[in-house]
Amino acid sequence: MKRLIGLAAAALALCACEKKTTSPENTTGATPQPAATTAAPANPAPSSDDVWRVGEVGSLSGQQATFGQSTHHGIELAMKEINDAGGVKGKKFKLTTYDDQGKPDEAASATLRLISQDHVQVVLGEVASTNSKAMAPPCQNNKVPMISPSSTNPEVTAIGDYIFRVCFIDPFQGTVMAKFAHDNLKLNKVAILKDVRSDYSMGLSKYFTETFTKLGGTIVKEASYSQGDMDFKAQLTELKSAQPQAIYLPGYYNDVGLIVSQARDLGITAPFMGGDGWDSSKLYELGGKSLNGSYFSNHSTNQDPNPKLQKFIADYKAAYGEPPDALAALGYDAMRVAADAFARAKSGAGPDVREAIAGTKDFDGVTGKITLDKDRNAVKPAVVLELQDGKQVYQTTIAP
Amino acid sequence: MQIVRAWAPVAITLAILAVVNVLLPSLNEDYRVHVLLDVGINVMLAVSLNLVNGVTGQFSIGHAGFMALGGYTAAFLSIRLAAYQLHGVPDAVSQGLFLVLALVVGGMVAALAGLIVGLPSLRLRGDYLAIVTLGFGEIIRVLIENTEAVGGARGLSNIPPWAGFFAVYAGVFVTLLCSRRLLASTHGRALLAIREDEVAAEAMGVNTVGYKVRAFVVSAFFAGIAGGLYAHYQTNLAPKSFTFIRSIEIVVMVVLGGMGSISGSVLAAVVLTLAPELLRALDQYRMASYGLMLVLLMLARPSGIFGTREIWELWPLRKKSKPDVDRELARPAGSP
Amino acid sequence: MSEFFQHLVNGLSLGTIYALIALGYTMVYGVLKLINFAHADVFMIGAYTGLFSARAIGGEGEGSYARAGAVLVISMLVSAGLGMLIERLAYRPLRARPRLTALITAIGVSFFLENGAQLLWSPDPRRFPRLFESHTFFLGNTAISSMQIIAFLVAVAMMAGLQYLVFRTRFGLAMRAVSFEPSTAALMGVPVDRTISITFAVGSALAAGAAILFGLQYPRVEPFMGLMLGLKAFVAAVLGGIGNVPGSMVGGLVLGLAEEFVAGYGLSSYRDAVAFAILIAILILRPEGIFGRSVAEKV
């Protein structure tokens, strides 16, 4: 019995010593619903208010680190440019970045830390929609706007009115490729190879299937893989036997390069089609010539003469020694949309910044003209590109 | 009087937890509260796994699978329960009851899975059992990834945020209490005997398989409860959170804490949850330093923080102490 | 039917890789009863070493067998050294301790290597160079590349070499003696430390060999490439009966084929689950693995 009491005391000492700040709020164990209606008190701003504080959560380590680091570089570059140009309203931006190892629970606690310890005024992140969905409730509850550079799942911004994104959503991008395959390439037998571990890939293939079958095409076979797999020959052999005219492969470049070259080894000659996850110089490095004649949808083409885009590509190469991928470009745009909002906002307080971000219209980003609609999603046209020896050849533009 | 003596600590602890709960800032505003809850969940996981890996000397590396089962079941249930309310009681009470219901069901499902996995596989030798549990954890994750009803790879969101400090730490308290009582009982002695020498235990009339399965089921039950609590303050679940790495993290806590030592598991869980948070400022250097830290900690204290003892047994004034099992465990590797 | 043969070819070439990695697990387990978690990361380092040494040797594009051989040898030597270093620093000090202790340091070393590689070489995937030209033959509808055939032959040669080493040499005898009973082996004059050290070296060299053969067929190198592959290889080792050399080879092939057929016939999203389920079923039916012997416990 004595031990029991001792144990209880030890457990309590453990809990009590963590208690550092107190607040009269919250009298029940229940926490507020992650809905727009709950009023949470604004965080006390720290005394030195001479910078705009921006927080970023990304997978800087772990298996998805290649995506997180690209995004981080894009954000860093944008911030450096804005600060070198004198900042916004005379104040410079300060970035605090936390790593979440690609895990949703880490993303949630990192976001809370940014908000409650570092008092950031806007949060940028994540790539994976699963992680963005974990970050959104803390942002929404604390009235800190969040901009996701590249989470495409529709559910992300549905969490609340403080959550924005600067990328396409899955329904749009899946539809784009389905229309292109049917109308431009005149295909009617397509197979799908999707990544079960990625909500992005699942979303795109779902909407591709919907649109493509509505247009009169058939999905002859569907197979799947898991992010990070190395051997895809079993699935490819299965798809090959269905003799599709093309294979829709909405994945990320690190898998796509390997998949396409294994497909060619097996004697599959049908072209592959994909989404903006393909956009990386790494894709050509991994896939090489086997990618020739494949198509993917993207925000813009790196051959676009738009001086802003060309300057971004050149600057990024100079800073990080490699050309930017889509994730870097989206990170860059997310940061610049945020900066633009700070310039227009009445103050740096959450609701004002939110208001300003929501009012983003025809913003001239490197990933196209960004307008945020009433659901806080970016509306912008998509281009379809063909790959030829590592070059992206422009095919067509499809408006939302 | 007996009843008062038995239940007073429980009542006092719960009362203190309730008071602390009121004093703490809201979970949604303060990062430290969030970390505190993460600590609580990991303590529950480590203490429950300690029953199998530490006390019974078996080797399970599929704890994240049980946690996922409990978490998903509880969340699935409470998302549906959230639309209802009990008549005649305040909102908070109704939510609390629903939460308890969801948690218990989640725990039962995890326990049932523990029984199904444990019955055939606990006849296997140590390392084979490890592989079966590992395989089980991976299978659970793949099944969740492929089940559209719980969100698949996208994850399950909009889980009602019913768990806060009070709920999580009440869970921790119950886990500690049950674990402690179990160890002090005939059951606990039998489990320890199995760890020390399975053949001898069997010869003494201990039904080794039966006891091992029971330990496994209890452990899975608490892992399921921990998963349920976790679901109800994260409000999001994704299969990514329940990988094999997660199971390994819990095993590390048990071993670092010292096999079979409850207080050791608690302390190791606290240290190993806080360490990555404190290292967060190191950015991408964080996980590499964490790996190095594990190696150095193990080299410095090879039998865990407290060895196989509890923290209070280390005080020199205490006369009662267990025989030195450390020495017994320290047989050279490879000897039978 | 042509699909069936294609799956067979795919499964065999994946299975040989599993088998080579599994051998490292099995050898270390044999002598130390330790699951060497860092083994998968030695494999990863082997792949990076191959990549860098191929670049250093130069001549990308016009590859030759001599160049491939040089890359293979360099990579095996570097990995063997790394394996011995890990054993010396992280496992040997804990040898007299419970086995789980060394397991945790193994996990720590694994985290350190994975994340250290990520810091050093960036998380971006890199392409493993084609060390020699590969031709694809079509037998009916079944595609087989010369790369696959060569990889298979090299793997078989390595396994045969290992079999010779273990059963026909003095070192092999010492290794088996240590595996059987370390303290008695020491009394009989077997240098236990050195034997264990060499066992790590041989196992790690095999992992590097696997990494090169793997890189040729699946040319993507990244810091976490060993994680899942290592897990599967470990499963293969247990499947065959851990601690048993021919068992690992068979285990690897069985796992490779099982995965390939499961994924190829409509269950691709359950690929890993089915692989593990087969494993569990086999273990429950035959707990000592396909080739393992059940050992009666001494009292």
Side-chain angles (χ1 to χ4, degrees):
Chain A
M1 202 66 226
K2 274 182 198 157
R3 283 214 187 145
L4 189 67
I5 296 169
L7 187 75
L12 285 169
L14 191 82
C15 314
C17 68
E18 278 293 332
K19 183 175 71 71
K20 284 184 190 119
T21 53
T22 53
S23 116
E25 295 295 320
N26 190 30
T27 47
T28 66
T31 50
Q33 287 278 351
T37 48
T38 348
N43 288 290
S47 51
S48 67
D49 217 15
D50 49 354
V51 288
W52 303 114
R53 290 173 306 276
V54 180
E56 184 206 349
V57 178
S59 44
L60 299 179
S61 68
Q63 283 170 286
Q64 270 82 49
T66 172
F67 312 135
Q69 296 216 347
S70 283
T71 310
H72 177 64
H73 288 160
I75 292 173
E76 228 175 29
L77 183 67
M79 180 162 292
K80 190 174 165 295
E81 282 176 11
I82 296 162
N83 283 346
D84 287 351
V88 161
K89 293 182 184 168
K91 289 204 267 183
K92 300 210 168 176
F93 285 89
K94 182 174 167 287
L95 180 67
T96 312
T97 307
Y98 290 130
D99 172 29
D100 63 17
Q101 296 172 51
K103 295 182 195 160
D105 38 352
E106 289 262 341
S109 47
T111 308
L112 262 175
R113 178 165 177 160
L114 282 172
I115 293 171
S116 73
Q117 308 286 97
D118 302 303
H119 303 283
V120 298
Q121 291 155 300
V122 65
V123 174
L124 305 178
E126 236 265 17
V127 175
S129 301
T130 326
N131 296 357
S132 291
K133 273 179 10 194
M135 291 169 62
C139 289
Q140 180 66 31
N141 289 324
N142 290 294
K143 293 193 184 301
V144 175
M146 162 180 154
I147 305 177
S148 165
S150 41
S151 289
T152 53
N153 193 288
E155 284 177 22
V156 173
T157 47
I159 288 175
D161 59 346
Y162 277 77
I163 317 299
F164 300 87
R165 80 177 105 215
V166 295
C167 54
F168 303 129
I169 52 174
D170 293 340
F172 172 61
Q173 211 183 161
T175 311
V176 163
M177 210 60 215
K179 279 186 187 153
F180 178 78
H182 187 267
D183 300 346
N184 298 46
L185 299 177
K186 312 275 179 229
L187 304 178
N188 47 30
K189 278 167 64 191
V190 173
I192 292 182
L193 182 55
K194 61 189 178 187
D195 173 1
V196 275
R197 212 164 280 176
S198 144
D199 40 17
Y200 163 79
S201 188
M202 297 297 277
L204 252 58
S205 46
K206 177 177 161 212
Y207 293 105
F208 179 90
T209 310
E210 267 175 25
T211 315
F212 193 68
T213 45
K214 210 182 286 165
L215 290 170
T218 339
I219 306 295
V220 289
K221 198 109 188 181
E222 221 175 304
S224 52
Y225 65 97
S226 304
Q227 220 162 58
D229 276 0
M230 298 278 193
D231 174 74
F232 306 95
K233 286 186 176 160
Q235 292 95 318
L236 289 167
T237 306
E238 194 191 8
L239 294 183
K240 185 187 171 191
S241 67
Q243 296 177 325
Q245 293 166 312
I247 297 171
Y248 188 51
L249 172 59
Y252 283 111
Y253 56 84
N254 50 355
D255 294 322
V256 170
L258 213 54
I259 292 172
V260 177
S261 70
Q262 287 181 20
R264 301 296 178 239
D265 285 348
L266 289 172
I268 297 175
T269 49
F272 280 80
M273 306 182 291
D276 59 345
W278 281 33
D279 184 19
S280 168
S281 56
K282 293 280 169 204
L283 177 67
Y284 183 67
E285 192 192 324
L286 290 169
K289 284 203 181 63
S290 56
L291 288 158
N292 285 352
S294 289
Y295 303 89
F296 70 103
S297 52
N298 202 359
H299 314 271
S300 58
T301 149
N302 55 20
Q303 259 84 45
D304 190 332
N306 175 2
K308 210 163 215 164
L309 176 65
Q310 291 306 329
K311 183 177 175 303
F312 166 65
I313 294 174
D315 289 349
Y316 191 93
K317 258 188 188 157
Y320 304 107
E322 56 181 19
D325 55 17
L327 297 166
L330 287 166
Y332 182 82
D333 271 358
M335 179 60 223
R336 288 182 55 240
V337 164
D340 177 64
F342 276 105
R344 286 182 287 111
K346 275 179 280 178
S347 76
D352 290 335
V353 178
R354 191 213 83 84
E355 202 69 27
I357 298 175
T360 302
K361 200 167 183 305
D362 289 331
F363 178 83
D364 194 11
V366 296
T367 60
K369 285 238 186 304
I370 298 170
T371 299
L372 292 176
D373 65 6
K374 63 173 180 13
D375 296 322
R376 302 166 299 281
N377 295 324
V379 179
K380 50 187 177 183
V383 295
V384 177
L385 307 168
E386 186 187 350
L387 287 165
Q388 278 304 338
D389 293 321
K391 295 261 184 325
Q392 304 177 345
V393 184
Y394 172 81
Q395 294 291 310
T396 181
T397 302
I398 295 178
Chain B
M1 202 53 214
Q2 276 288 324
I3 291 175
V4 175
R5 270 198 58 163
W7 289 95
V10 178
I12 293 169
T13 311
L14 291 183
I16 296 175
L17 285 180
V19 172
V20 175
N21 187 43
V22 174
L23 295 177
L24 279 179
S26 145
L27 167 64
N28 277 307
E29 288 152 40
D30 205 300
Y31 155 75
R32 283 166 297 187
V33 181
H34 203 271
V35 173
L36 189 61
L37 297 196
D38 288 344
V39 169
I41 295 296
N42 281 337
V43 167
M44 285 181 75
L45 291 169
V47 170
S48 59
L49 187 66
N50 182 44
L51 280 179
V52 173
N53 284 25
V55 177
T56 321
Q58 303 302 302
F59 189 16
S60 161
I61 41 177
H63 221 46
F66 295 116
M67 184 193 176
L69 266 183
Y72 267 95
T73 310
F76 189 78
L77 203 62
S78 64
I79 286 174
R80 272 140 197 88
L81 285 174
Y84 302 93
Q85 210 210 327
L86 293 179
H87 279 296
V89 289
D91 212 19
V93 175
S94 162
Q95 278 180 6
L97 290 175
F98 282 156
L99 176 65
V100 171
L101 176 67
L103 290 178
V104 170
V105 174
M108 300 288 264
V109 169
L112 186 68
L115 187 67
I116 294 171
V117 177
L119 264 183
S121 56
L122 281 161
R123 292 168 202 279
L124 298 175
R125 269 201 296 129
D127 301 292
Y128 294 97
L129 175 67
I131 294 302
V132 170
T133 52
L134 178 146
F136 160 78
E138 288 294 297
I139 289 172
I140 291 293
R141 190 172 53 83
V142 173
L143 290 183
I144 293 173
E145 262 168 14
N146 284 291
T147 309
E148 216 18 70
V150 292
R154 206 169 61 245
L156 188 60
S157 40
N158 297 323
I159 302 165
W162 288 342
F165 172 82
F166 180 77
V168 170
Y169 276 84
V172 171
F173 178 66
V174 171
T175 312
L176 287 173
L177 193 67
C178 291
S179 185
R180 185 79 204 129
R181 302 308 275 159
L182 185 73
L183 266 191
S185 70
T186 329
H187 273 74
R189 297 294 161 204
L191 296 178
L192 282 172
I194 293 172
R195 176 183 77 183
E196 295 308 320
D197 193 329
E198 199 166 334
V199 178
E202 187 113 47
M204 298 305 288
V206 175
N207 172 6
T208 51
V209 172
Y211 276 107
K212 283 196 282 184
V213 170
R214 260 172 272 175
F216 206 66
V217 168
V218 171
S219 162
F221 176 78
F222 283 109
I225 300 272
L229 286 167
Y230 172 83
H232 286 89
Y233 73 85
Q234 288 283 355
T235 70
N236 261 307
L237 283 182
K240 264 194 232 172
S241 307
F242 304 105
T243 54
F244 144 76
I245 300 289
R246 181 75 193 235
S247 301
I248 289 291
E249 280 170 7
I250 309 168
V251 174
V252 169
M253 287 170 194
V254 173
V255 178
L256 187 69
M259 309 290 282
S261 164
I262 295 176
S263 48
S265 294
V266 172
L267 192 70
V270 174
V271 168
L272 290 181
T273 318
L274 292 183
E277 291 296 338
L278 296 176
L279 294 175
R280 200 178 278 288
L282 292 177
D283 266 16
Q284 57 257 64
Y285 295 93
R286 180 163 71 129
M287 288 320 285
S289 346
Y290 179 76
L292 205 56
M293 192 189 80
L294 275 187
V295 176
L296 296 179
L297 270 177
M298 261 2 265
L299 290 178
R301 289 209 65 87
S303 41
I305 301 177
F306 303 133
T308 53
R309 298 151 185 233
E310 300 294 345
I311 188 166
W312 46 89
E313 287 167 339
L314 294 179
W315 291 332
L317 292 178
R318 301 269 323 196
K319 284 196 186 117
K320 244 196 298 180
S321 79
K322 279 191 274 182
D324 192 357
V325 272
D326 272 9
R327 205 179 307 144
E328 181 52 33
L329 275 176
R331 286 174 301 194
S335 68
Chain C
M1 201 57 205
S2 69
E3 277 171 62
F4 176 83
F5 287 111
Q6 186 70 61
H7 289 314
L8 196 67
V9 170
N10 298 345
L12 283 177
S13 64
L14 185 64
T16 39
I17 306 282
Y18 284 152
L20 278 181
I21 309 175
L23 284 173
Y25 280 110
T26 254
M27 288 172 67
V28 168
Y29 190 87
V31 295
L32 281 187
K33 304 283 175 288
L34 165 74
I35 302 173
N36 181 12
F37 261 97
H39 189 65
D41 303 297
V42 173
F43 168 84
M44 177 269 295
I45 300 283
Y48 270 101
T49 316
L51 181 108
F52 292 130
S53 57
R55 279 195 196 155
I57 295 172
E60 169 89 57
E62 67 206 78
S64 67
Y65 294 116
R67 178 161 165 255
V71 168
L72 185 67
V73 170
I74 294 173
S75 173
M76 285 173 85
L77 287 177
V78 170
S79 294
L82 179 68
M84 286 163 78
L85 190 71
I86 294 173
E87 192 273 330
R88 182 70 193 82
L89 295 180
Y91 304 152
R92 192 176 297 176
L94 296 172
R95 205 179 289 155
R97 291 286 173 176
R99 281 160 42 196
L100 274 180
T101 315
L103 182 77
I104 304 299
T105 51
I107 293 168
V109 170
S110 166
F111 278 9
F112 178 71
L113 287 179
E114 280 162 7
N115 292 286
Q118 191 167 66
L119 287 174
L120 214 56
W121 299 315
S122 97
D124 296 337
R126 296 171 193 232
R127 181 184 171 75
F128 193 86
R130 289 220 159 189
L131 298 172
F132 51 85
E133 270 320 301
S134 171
H135 306 281
T136 307
F137 309 101
F138 283 91
L139 301 174
N141 237 338
T142 309
I144 303 177
S145 68
S146 54
M147 194 93 85
Q148 275 172 318
I149 296 173
I150 291 170
F152 186 77
L153 292 179
V154 172
V156 169
M158 281 185 190
M159 292 183 212
L162 180 70
Q163 191 71 1
Y164 178 81
L165 185 74
V166 174
F167 290 102
R168 292 278 182 275
T169 61
R170 276 181 72 82
F171 163 71
L173 188 65
M175 195 185 125
R176 282 179 290 144
V178 171
S179 152
F180 196 70
E181 174 66 76
S183 45
T184 316
L187 288 176
M188 298 293 144
V190 175
V192 174
D193 279 351
R194 203 170 75 207
T195 307
I196 290 175
S197 195
I198 297 175
T199 305
F200 268 84
V202 173
S204 303
L206 287 174
I212 303 298
L213 299 180
F214 184 81
L216 289 172
Q217 297 176 67
Y218 310 97
R220 182 179 64 187
V221 181
E222 57 193 347
F224 285 88
M225 66 189 288
L227 193 67
M228 201 58 195
L229 218 57
L231 213 56
K232 297 264 185 71
F234 178 51
V235 163
V238 177
L239 201 56
I242 193 158
N244 181 308
V245 172
S248 294
M249 301 180 204
V250 175
L253 291 180
V254 167
L255 189 68
L257 286 169
E259 255 189 46
E260 214 62 29
F261 279 103
V262 163
Y265 288 105
L267 285 173
S268 46
S269 50
Y270 293 96
R271 178 180 184 145
D272 292 354
V274 176
F276 283 113
I278 292 173
L279 171 88
I280 293 179
I282 290 187
L283 282 186
I284 288 169
L285 294 177
R286 202 177 149 73
E288 62 282 350
I290 304 174
F291 277 76
R293 267 166 304 171
S294 66
V295 183
E297 204 167 331
K298 277 173 270 182
V299 184

